[in-house]
Amino acid sequence: MSRPTLTLDEVGTDPFAAFATWLKDASETEPNDPNAMALATVDGAGMPDVRMVLLKGLDAAGFVFYTNFESAKGEELLGQPRAGLCFHWKTQRRQVRVRGPVEIVSQDEADAYYASRPRGSRIGAWASDQSRPLKDRSLLEARIAELEDRFGPDGEIARPARWSGFRVRPLEIEFWQDGTYRLHDRFRFTRAGVDAATWDVARLYP
């Protein structure tokens, strides 16, 4: 079945507003995690790396996610603070790609999000030496049990210093919608800098 051509009027002139609309559409049809996104980074040798993470914040400054700074992605982003994101919503037959520099969120922002997490997730942030070798699962479970005893059922669990968030500040956002016979619709927004108020937009060949 053919799909109507995506027009510039539908995409608009504000890529953040367009993304919010597409994310809302996806939240109504995707069975799991419509906020899931592939995060691409590079290590110190320039070797690329990619994994799925969850978008936890979106505003005019950029796309926010949280992690352990000592994880592979944390260390890669601290060393090379640039990233690519890719959202793919299969039921919507849509994709959004984002590229730009990365900055660390404020401590207040990280504290507020950390406090909103389930208690088990907050304990997990303390227990996991993310991306490090784990000889046996029982060692992790024992550490979790130890932390549960230490914090108690109602004790405050402060955010670990090694756990915070990153904000990808896009210089480029591309919207892709599936088309019949692979004649997809693609619009790419670009801007000169992360604080630039205006975006240039161009339709791309499929």
Side-chain angles (χ1 to χ4, degrees), residues 63-134:
F63 300 76
V64 176
F65 65 94
Y66 293 87
T67 190
N68 186 324
F69 280 176
E70 296 174 0
S71 67
K73 59 182 173 294
E75 291 182 341
E76 288 166 3
L77 287 169
L78 291 173
Q80 301 283 341
R82 294 175 293 276
L85 306 174
C86 182
F87 298 83
H88 177 232
W89 300 301
K90 188 172 183 178
T91 55
Q92 289 289 326
R93 297 165 70 181
R94 288 172 171 172
Q95 174 180 279
V96 176
R97 294 194 300 154
V98 178
R99 295 201 300 167
V102 173
E103 65 183 21
I104 299 170
V105 304
S106 70
Q107 292 197 31
D108 287 346
E109 191 173 357
D111 287 341
Y113 176 70
Y114 182 78
S116 75
R117 304 180 84 207
R119 189 173 185 81
S121 296
R122 283 177 278 157
I123 289 176
W126 280 91
S128 177
D129 294 330
Q130 193 172 353
S131 300
R132 301 297 190 270
L134 175 61

Side-chain angles (χ1 to χ4, degrees), residues 115-186:
S116 75
R117 304 180 84 207
R119 189 173 185 81
S121 296
R122 283 177 278 157
I123 289 176
W126 280 91
S128 177
D129 294 330
Q130 193 172 353
S131 300
R132 301 297 190 270
L134 175 61
K135 184 176 181 180
D136 189 276
R137 175 81 181 188
S138 64
L139 299 176
L140 173 61
E141 293 170 350
R143 183 178 293 183
I144 291 171
E146 175 189 342
L147 289 164
E148 287 175 339
D149 288 341
R150 183 196 307 177
F151 292 121
D154 301 309
E156 180 182 356
I157 308 174
R159 176 177 61 87
R162 66 183 182 181
W163 191 97
S164 188
F166 290 103
R167 176 177 282 104
V168 180
R169 304 202 64 189
L171 295 173
E172 180 179 313
I173 304 177
E174 182 186 313
F175 295 82
W176 177 99
Q177 181 170 283
D178 177 70
T180 307
Y181 302 123
R182 301 294 178 185
L183 300 177
H184 314 305
D185 287 310
R186 296 173 63 189

